[in-house]
RNA sequence: GCGGGAGUGGUGUAACGGCAGCCACGCCAGACUUAGGAUCUGGUGCCUUCGGGCGUGGGGGUUCGACUCCCCCCUCCCGCACCA
């Protein structure tokens, strides 16, 4: 452990420093000794109610359980900076508090270890990623241990352990072996689907049976394809971001606005590839609805709701009219709209450029007199369409969503018919309509939609208003509310109705005519689950002679990651858009081909060579903490019920406190919730949600400084003088940002622990604000926390003699008792609400009171000294253990009962009450705490200053709140 | 643009609708010291003619009373962003 910072305190042997002062050197000594003892004695071993980790359960059997957890770290090798431990310390303080207060506390820690950084390092060095990963894990473990966290080390694991990813693969097989029954609203096993199809009680779901022939007439291979299309984990040909230069597909987040890879700046192409997908969209409703049952912040819930993006509306079908078309074959364009009420205002239609109907709808030629703005300057619609499609395909998804761009598009040369009024609507393609959302086609209502209005302006299309705008409306699209207008035909009128009523009426009309129906769509897409990478979980899937996927039997798990010579995917010429991904595993030829007996004799199979994404291992790790050594099952149902089960009717269950960064709000938490719900449906877990209470800890940033050239200078060496910041005597400019090497403002926990000890570091981090709040780091302020711990130490230990100052016989004064119980009350409040700053402030007040009352050497009543040590124990556990032991206790303070405030000492006998005149405080009077309003008023009137204010005036009203204040309202 | 959150001393923050600024950093003074980046004690919102006045981003409102509740505006942070 490096100790680069200089110690601010003198060595204890130097003259002037008392020999038994709590110095950083002594803190180090105490901390290391207690960390060894905790480990040797298994102080933080949490007993399970049953199974191999159940030893000692009888000690905690009557306690309520409490499961506290951090988002586990990815061991990057870059090392921790002072911002990283914030959340870990928050759960640590909470778990220590809950243990002392009588809970059976589970507080484990594991490591998310598959992933790209280790693989890239392996590609560069040729070293196996496991080696660097394990070294990084060891480094983080040592840092966490040095912070004094109370993790149960027996429950630790990494996602790369074969004993762990065996069960990640097993969960994949559960998803592969299940389908979503929309009637039941839940996942069921594929065997049940087959049985219902065989029995004729169920038809294949829409889109799963391309041949359209009845199930009974399908051959075996065709039937398997139908089944495979139902599965929650399924293969799907989908457009992905293929980057030949990197040899891999990229997520949307990894592609820049100009269509290149964020890493390496290689061209990225949208191309269809067969990939594993997870049918998370089937769970969209439950993922939204169950948010209401979670103890999460509203902002996180809103983000998840937005990501899922549920919107209700209607599908409406338009038949394509005759204009310009020679082959009069009828086509139907289906659109999705949230505003079917505005159907009378539709004046044109737009398809996404990639819409499958585009080729068949494109007219052979432009009709005479076609507006030149509609043709894109092309001689025929086909040429215009081709040019426009090419242009659109070169734009990345991100770029297409840039709202500032002027609307573009071309006319297909045809019109469709508005079912409500027979109006002929020209059909365009335009890239402001997205392929993946809704039906990839819209009815355009420029009167009430901003985007459609913009397009209509550019292309000279008519605008029909169907919602009455207010008097002062100044044009453009009116998206507000108002009565419907211009919306009637022979059969139906919406005029005068409000939006909700109009939607209901028009939808009923469309349904009756067979032209549409109410529906719901989602922004959420199914989860792309394949990666062309080495350092991930292999799929437990092989392909047979029909090239169809077959599950590897559970008995053959785990499918171990094979050794390879080269960890990189095959890369191609940067612009080779037609190249095929070739994952690293595909080159492990002895591995990819395998002979297995899957029940019908030994046959040759080909293994899946993609690996799972990084999210897989983090989707379910909370379940594995319950017993990571279990080789028989993913999780013992009895343990799951105990640690995660619902606490009562309607309760979702789950981890009691989950702390982590905001960056995982959407993807990780959504994916984990999805898997958990599948496991719930299939009967493996009793809880409906994985994380009952979620807290996002704030970030710690730090000041950084630039010189006159704009270069960053080492922040640690900048001094402040008279409000100016100087580096080597020259003024520098102060900025504020992420802690790290690039801003030269890195501060590590190791440095702080070296300079002050872990307890001081813990107290400082916890004292700077509520856990959720982001905050600046300020090294110079750490000393305040050290001073506090020194004063607490001094309350118990005489600095000169080392003798314990606790006095068994002395009774504390009433004033001291009040200070103590106020502190207990406040500390409990702070602990329960994760506002550790409050808890520390109350501890400081008590300490300051004791320092004043008893000086540096007088005996301190044991009945006050001991509770003080207990109060600070969750925050500064090493210091507390040492003092607790010096006070004569042989057991760890970690299991000592947390003090309970006595109400008697929380109420005062007499209270100071403010006296206001016209709402302004003019005086204070001292009255008995139980004085009623009349007594309060009398005391206030008797006060000289008040008498001076009210004599000769008319007192119109007197407000007297017992225990609070008196307010004279003058007339 | 839409949605969410937040604006309080020099700084981090604290205040069941009831005395704004607890606690800490910093700063000022003192004690102990050869010394102080140690420790301890006291002071520290702003203005002031020393009576007091003004203060929680700005403006309104509700109330006897508003940092707190309501409306409008400003600023900052976060998320989403042509999602039909």
């Amino acid at each position: 452990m490096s100790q680069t910072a200089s110690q601010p305190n003198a060595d204890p042997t130097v003259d002037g420093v008392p020999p038994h002062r709590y110095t950083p050197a002594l803190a180090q000594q105490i901390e290391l000794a207690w960390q060894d003892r905790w480990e040797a004695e298994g102080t933080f071993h949490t007993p399970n109610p049953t199974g191999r980790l159940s030893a000692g359960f009888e000690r905690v059997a009557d306690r309520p359980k409490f499961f506290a957890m951090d988002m586990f770290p990815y061991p990057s090798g870059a090392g921790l900076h002072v911002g990283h431990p914030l959340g870990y310390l928050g759960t640590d303080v909470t778990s220590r508090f809950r243990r002392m207060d009588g809970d059976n506390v589970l507080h484990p820690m594991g490591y998310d270890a598959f992933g790209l950084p280790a693989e890239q390092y392996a590609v560069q060095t040729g070293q196996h990623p496991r080696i660097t990963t394990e070294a990084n894990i060891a480094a983080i473990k040592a840092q966490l241990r040095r912070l004094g966290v109370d993790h149960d080390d027996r429950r630790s694991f990494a996602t790369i352990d074969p004993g762990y990813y065996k069960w990640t693969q097993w969960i994949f097989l559960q998803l592969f072996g299940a389908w979503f029954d929309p009637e039941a609203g839940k996942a069921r096993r594929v065997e049940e689907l087959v049985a219902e199809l065989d029995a004729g009680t169920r038809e294949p779901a829409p889109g799963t049976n391309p041949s359209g022939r009845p199930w009974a007439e399908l051959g075996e291979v065709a039937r398997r394809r139908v089944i495979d299309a139902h599965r929650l984990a399924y293969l799907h040909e989908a457009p992905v971001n293929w980057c030949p230069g990197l040899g891999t597909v990229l997520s949307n987040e990894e592609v820049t606005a100009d269509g290149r890879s964020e890493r390496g700046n290689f061209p990225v192409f949208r191309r269809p590839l067969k990939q594993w997908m997870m049918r998370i969209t089937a769970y969209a409703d439950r993922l939204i609805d169950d948010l209401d049952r979670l103890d999460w912040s509203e902002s996180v819930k809103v983000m998840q709701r937005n990501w899922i993006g549920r919107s209700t509306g209607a599908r409406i079908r338009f038949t394509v009219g005759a204009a310009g078309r020679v082959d009069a074959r009828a086509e139907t364009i289906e659109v999705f709209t949230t505003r079917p009420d505005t159907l009378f205002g539709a004046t044109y239609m737009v398809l996404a450029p990639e819409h499958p109907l585009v080729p068949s709808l494109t007219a052979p030629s432009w009709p005479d007199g076609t507006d030149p703005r509609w043709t894109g300057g092309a001689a025929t619609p086909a040429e215009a369409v081709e040019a426009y499609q090419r242009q659109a395909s070169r734009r990345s998804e991100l770029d297409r969503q840039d709202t500032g761009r002027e609307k573009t598009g071309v006319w297909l040369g045809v019109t469709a018919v508005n079912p409500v009024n027979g109006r002929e609507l020209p059909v365009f393609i335009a890239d402001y309509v997205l392929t993946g959302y809704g039906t990839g086609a819209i009815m355009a209502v420029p009167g009430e939609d901003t985007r459609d209005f913009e397009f209509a302006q550019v292309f000279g299309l008519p605008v029909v208003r169907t919602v009455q705008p207010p008097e002062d409306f100044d044009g453009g699209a009116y998206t507000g509310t108002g009565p419907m207008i211009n919306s009637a035909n022979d059969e139906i009128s919406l005029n005068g109705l409000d939006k909700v009523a109009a939607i209901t009426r028009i939808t009923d009309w469309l349904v009756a005519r067979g032209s549409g129906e109410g529906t719901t769509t989602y922004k959420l897409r199914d989860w792309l689950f394949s990666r062309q990478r080495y350092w991930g979980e292999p799929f437990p899937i092989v392909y047979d002679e029909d090239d169809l996927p077959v599950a590897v039997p559970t008995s053959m798990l785990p499918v171990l990651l094979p050794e390879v010579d080269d960890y990189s995917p095959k890369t191609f010429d940067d612009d080779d858009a037609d190249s095929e991904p070739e994952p690293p595993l595909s080159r492990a030829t002895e591995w990819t081909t395998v002979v297995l007996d899957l029940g019908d004799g030994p046959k040759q199979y080909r293994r899946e060579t993609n690996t799972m994404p990084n999210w897989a291992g983090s989707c379910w790790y909370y379940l594995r903490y319950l017993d990571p050594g279990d080789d028989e099952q993913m999780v013992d149902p009895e343990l799951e019920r105990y640690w995660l089960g619902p606490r009562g009717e309607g309760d979702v269950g789950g981890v009691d406190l989950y702390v982590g960064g905001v960056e995982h709000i959407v993807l990780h938490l959504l994916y984990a919730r999805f898997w958990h719900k599948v496991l719930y449906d299939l009967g493996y877990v009793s809880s409906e949600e994985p994380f009952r209470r979620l807290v996002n800890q704030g970030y710690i940033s730090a000041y950084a400084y630039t010189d006159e050239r704009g270069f960053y200078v080492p922040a640690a060496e900048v001094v402040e003088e008279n409000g100016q910041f100087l580096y080597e005597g020259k003024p520098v400019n102060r900025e504020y940002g992420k802690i790290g090497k690039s801003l030269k403002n890195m501060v590590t926990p190791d440095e702080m622990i070296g300079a002050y000890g872990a307890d001081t570091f813990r107290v400082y981090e916890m004292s700077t604000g509520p856990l959720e709040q982001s905050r600046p780091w300020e090294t110079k302020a750490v000393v305040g926390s050290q001073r506090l711990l020194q004063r607490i130490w001094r309350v118990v230990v005489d600095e000169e003699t080392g003798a314990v100052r606790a006095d068994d016989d002395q009774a504390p004064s009433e004033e001291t008792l009040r200070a103590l119980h106020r502190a207990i009350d406040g500390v409990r409040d702070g602990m329960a609400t994760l506002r550790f700053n409050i808890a520390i402030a109350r501890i400081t007040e008590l300490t300051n009171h004791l320092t004043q009352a008893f000086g540096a050497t007088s005996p301190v009543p044991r009945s006050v000294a001991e509770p003080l040590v207990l109060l600070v124990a969750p925050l500064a556990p090493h210091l507390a253990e040492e003092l607790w032991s010096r006070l004569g206790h042989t057991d760890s303070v970690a299991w000592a009962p947390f003090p309970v405030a006595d109400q008697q000492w929380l109420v005062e006998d007499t209270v100071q009450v403010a006296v206001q005149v016209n709402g302004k405080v003019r005086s204070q009077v001292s009255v008995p705490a139980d004085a009623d309003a009349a007594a309060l008023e009398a005391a206030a009137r008797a006060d000289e200053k008040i008498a001076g204010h009210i004599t000769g005036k008319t007192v119109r009203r007197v407000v007297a709140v017992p225990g609070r204040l008196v307010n004279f309202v003058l007339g």
Side-chain angles (χ1 to χ4, degrees), chain A residues 420-708:
Chain A
V420 83
N421 56 10
R423 186 186 182 115
E424 299 251 328
L425 310 176
V427 180
F428 291 81
I429 56 172
D431 64 7
Y432 83 91
V433 172
L434 307 175
T435 314
Y437 185 76
T439 62
I442 63 157
M443 66 178 205
V445 187
E448 280 88 33
D449 184 284
T450 312
R451 299 151 299 179
D452 296 343
F453 185 86
E454 289 169 5
F455 189 91
Q457 291 294 106
V458 174
F459 288 82
L461 289 155
V463 176
V464 175
R465 292 205 181 281
T466 59
V467 179
Q468 180 65 56
E471 293 283 318
D472 57 352
F473 184 68
D474 55 4
Y478 177 65
T479 55
T481 54
M484 302 302 299
I485 53 172
N486 300 327
S487 297
N489 62 23
D490 293 345
E491 297 173 27
I492 181 174
S493 171
L494 306 179
N495 291 336
L497 296 180
D498 66 15
K499 179 172 151 182
V500 174
I503 287 175
T504 307
R505 186 172 297 179
I506 189 71
T507 305
D508 289 347
W509 185 84
L510 288 166
V511 169
R513 279 199 29 150
S515 294
E517 53 273 320
T519 187
T520 304
T521 62
Y522 305 88
K523 276 200 289 185
L524 182 71
R525 314 290 168 78
D526 275 346
W527 174 14
L528 176 66
F529 201 71
S530 302
R531 297 296 129 92
Q532 292 75 48
R533 303 229 159 105
Y534 174 72
W535 195 225
E537 298 89 347
F539 282 82
I541 290 288
V542 293
Y543 295 90
D544 63 12
E545 68 273 17
D546 296 314
D547 215 27
L548 291 176
V550 181
V552 172
T554 305
S555 61
M556 295 183 192
L557 299 184
V559 175
L560 289 170
L561 196 53
E563 300 300 321
V564 295
D565 299 329
D566 182 359
Y567 304 109
S568 50
K570 181 171 181 190
T571 58
F572 300 88
D573 191 56
D574 292 358
D575 294 312
D576 188 358
D578 299 326
S579 49
E580 286 286 340
E582 196 173 299
L585 292 188
S586 66
R587 293 198 296 272
T589 42
E590 308 95 85
W591 182 79
T592 51
T593 307
V594 60
V595 174
L596 298 173
D597 184 350
L598 300 182
D600 45 1
K603 280 172 30 182
Q604 184 167 305
Y605 296 91
R606 176 176 60 83
R607 286 195 190 274
E608 169 65 61
T609 56
N610 284 298
T611 53
M612 299 188 198
N614 200 200
W615 308 104
S618 60
C619 257
W620 70 284
Y621 68 113
Y622 54 96
L623 292 169
R624 197 61 182 168
Y625 284 138
L626 307 190
D627 182 2
D630 191 342
D631 200 39
E632 300 299 312
Q633 51 196 340
M634 171 191 70
V635 62
D636 182 335
E638 193 175 337
L639 295 183
E640 192 276 333
R641 268 197 303 280
Y642 177 79
W643 286 112
L644 294 162
R647 290 176 185 264
E649 194 67 28
D651 182 56
V652 291
V655 172
D656 298 291
L657 175 64
Y658 190 33
V659 175
V662 286
E663 68 273 25
H664 295 119
I665 278 174
V666 173
L667 296 181
H668 160 60
L669 290 171
L670 212 51
Y671 294 155
R673 293 180 64 213
F674 161 52
W675 276 28
H676 195 93
K677 286 182 180 305
V678 175
L679 293 173
Y680 174 81
D681 287 351
L682 298 179
Y684 294 112
V685 295
S686 68
S687 43
E688 290 182 68
E689 285 281 342
F691 313 116
R692 174 201 309 279
R693 181 182 180 200
L694 172 76
V695 172
N696 293 111
Q697 91 271 12
Y699 284 93
I700 298 184
S701 300
Y703 292 107
Y705 303 87
T706 49
D707 62 18
E708 72 279 1

Side-chain angles (χ1 to χ4, degrees), chain A residues 735-775:
Chain A
E735 299 176 4
Y736 181 64
K738 274 169 87 166
I739 296 178
K741 287 184 183 125
S742 56
L743 300 191
K744 292 200 179 164
N745 60 355
M746 185 82 165
V747 189
T748 67
D750 295 357
E751 288 172 76
M752 289 301 112
I753 290 170
Y756 297 99
D759 280 337
T760 294
F761 176 72
R762 292 170 59 108
V763 169
Y764 172 69
E765 290 234 328
M766 295 295 97
S767 71
T768 47
L771 189 61
E772 292 94 327
Q773 189 164 310
S774 289
R775 61 201 78 181

Side-chain angles (χ1 to χ4, degrees), chain A residues 81-112:
Chain A
H81 65 65
V82 290
H84 291 120
L86 188 66
Y88 304 149
L89 294 177
T91 55
D92 189 60
V93 173
T94 303
S95 68
R96 286 174 177 273
F97 167 68
R98 301 293 297 233
R99 184 182 298 108
M100 291 176 74
D101 205 28
D103 287 355
N104 186 28
V105 174
L106 178 59
H107 185 215
M109 180 61 91
Y111 301 91
D112 187 19

